[in-house]
Amino acid sequence: MFPLNLQTAFIVEEVSKIIKESVEAAIGGNAYQHSRVNQWSTSVVEQCLSQLSKLGKPFKYIVTCIIMQKNGAGLQTASTCFWDNSTDGSCAVRWENKSMYCIVSVFGLAI
Amino acid sequence: MEASDTYLIRPNHQHKFKPAVVKECIREVVRERLSGLRYDPEEVPELSRSLADCIKDKVKNSGFDRYKLVVQVVIGEQRGQGVKMSSRCLWDADTDSYAEDVFMNDSLFCAVAVFGSYYY
């Protein structure tokens, strides 16, 4: 089944833009603070999800966010999916500032 | 996954995504593969990919036929840094669910999340 309609396809650039805006808005100029990380990651994820649902596409979304303090340690993320390649898609964005990294992944599963 | 002609809009109880079962799958695979391992930046990309594939296959074989799966594996080095991982989903709470597990040893930590979404 191919989505012939752009209105119902998972468009990576569009989602990537939404993620970048949400991350900027939630943690933009801040330095890593342990006491605020909970609130930041919640707000990044909730912002992303509400912008995605405003797109009005027939998708179920899964948004994950990892915020890590910079101290020289390494981090690797991998994901694998069992889905329909023609209709579903994912997008991951890596953002950083001087004191922390933020990796957001969005998976869109067509209904 | 092809469109099949059953018109089931809800999974029956046996076929529902069971977080406890999936969590156990994750636990077994991760403990077996990562116990005693040290964080090695050369090997970690391959390791995380193969862990994700292994977990996905194990969950598929547990009988969740009509479920689309998303498996995410995060492996990081333990150096005293702070890390926070969170997720939110927009889905059908009756049919969809997730399972997660975290494994830690002295040199690395590994967080795995498996999301299952019913395909109507």
Side-chain angles (χ1 to χ4, degrees), chain B residues 77-92:
Chain B
E77 196 180 352
Q78 280 241 52
R79 280 232 209 151
Q81 79 276 27
V83 185
K84 174 82 182 162
M85 179 166 160
S86 59
S87 72
R88 284 281 185 288
C89 309
L90 181 69
W91 59 21
D92 183 345

Side-chain angles (χ1 to χ4, degrees), chain A residues 1 32 34 37-38 41-42 45-46 49 52-53 59-84 87-88 105 107 109-111, chain B residues 1 3 39 44-45 48-49 52-53 56 60 65 67-77 79-92 95-96 109 115 117-120:
Chain A
M1 302 248 145
Y32 182 87
H34 187 71
V37 152
N38 265 339
S41 72
T42 308
V45 169
E46 283 176 358
L49 206 51
L52 287 167
S53 68
F59 277 97
K60 289 182 179 178
Y61 294 104
I62 296 168
V63 181
T64 66
C65 164
I66 302 166
I67 298 184
M68 185 170 95
Q69 187 184 16
K70 272 189 179 180
N71 86 340
L75 183 79
Q76 175 76 31
T77 65
S79 66
T80 177
C81 310
F82 175 65
W83 62 22
D84 183 343
T87 56
D88 306 330
S105 329
F107 301 92
L109 307 173
I111 299 178
Chain B
M1 209 170 209
Y39 183 90
V44 152
S48 54
R49 229 167 289 150
D53 282 328
K56 180 191 68 173
K60 267 176 68 182
D65 293 335
Y67 277 89
K68 288 186 176 177
L69 302 171
V70 174
V71 178
Q72 189 172 32
V73 171
V74 177
I75 301 186
E77 196 180 352
R79 280 232 209 151
Q81 79 276 27
V83 185
K84 174 82 182 162
M85 179 166 160
S86 59
S87 72
R88 284 281 185 288
C89 309
L90 181 69
W91 59 21
D92 183 345
T95 57
D96 307 334
F109 66 88
F115 302 91
S117 159
Y118 188 71
Y119 183 64
Y120 301 107

Side-chain angles (χ1 to χ4, degrees), chain A residues 6-78:
Chain A
L6 254 100
Q7 314 276 34
T8 57
F10 188 88
I11 300 176
V12 179
E13 290 83 23
E14 187 180 42
V15 174
S16 163
K17 182 161 153 271
I18 287 178
I19 300 176
K20 290 190 181 123
E21 286 169 5
S22 306
V23 175
E24 258 320 302
I27 56 182
N30 297 316
Y32 182 87
Q33 268 172 282
H34 187 71
S35 53
R36 296 190 62 190
V37 152
N38 265 339
Q39 170 208 354
W40 283 337
S41 72
T42 308
S43 81
V44 166
V45 169
E46 283 176 358
Q47 269 263 63
C48 274
L49 206 51
S50 72
Q51 294 295 93
L52 287 167
S53 68
K54 284 195 188 131
L55 293 175
K57 295 192 173 181
F59 277 97
K60 289 182 179 178
Y61 294 104
I62 296 168
V63 181
T64 66
C65 164
I66 302 166
I67 298 184
M68 185 170 95
Q69 187 184 16
K70 272 189 179 180
N71 86 340
L75 183 79
Q76 175 76 31
T77 65

Side-chain angles (χ1 to χ4, degrees), chain B residues 17-29:
Chain B
F17 189 87
K18 296 188 184 87
V21 169
V22 177
K23 185 172 169 124
E24 205 37 54
C25 286
I26 302 176
R27 224 166 223 200
E28 278 172 18
V29 174

Side-chain angles (χ1 to χ4, degrees), chain A residues 1, chain B residues 1-9 66 118-120:
Chain A
M1 302 248 145
Chain B
M1 209 170 209
E2 348 70 63
S4 105
D5 311 354
T6 66
Y7 298 101
L8 284 170
I9 55 167
R66 306 269 314 177
Y118 188 71
Y119 183 64
Y120 301 107

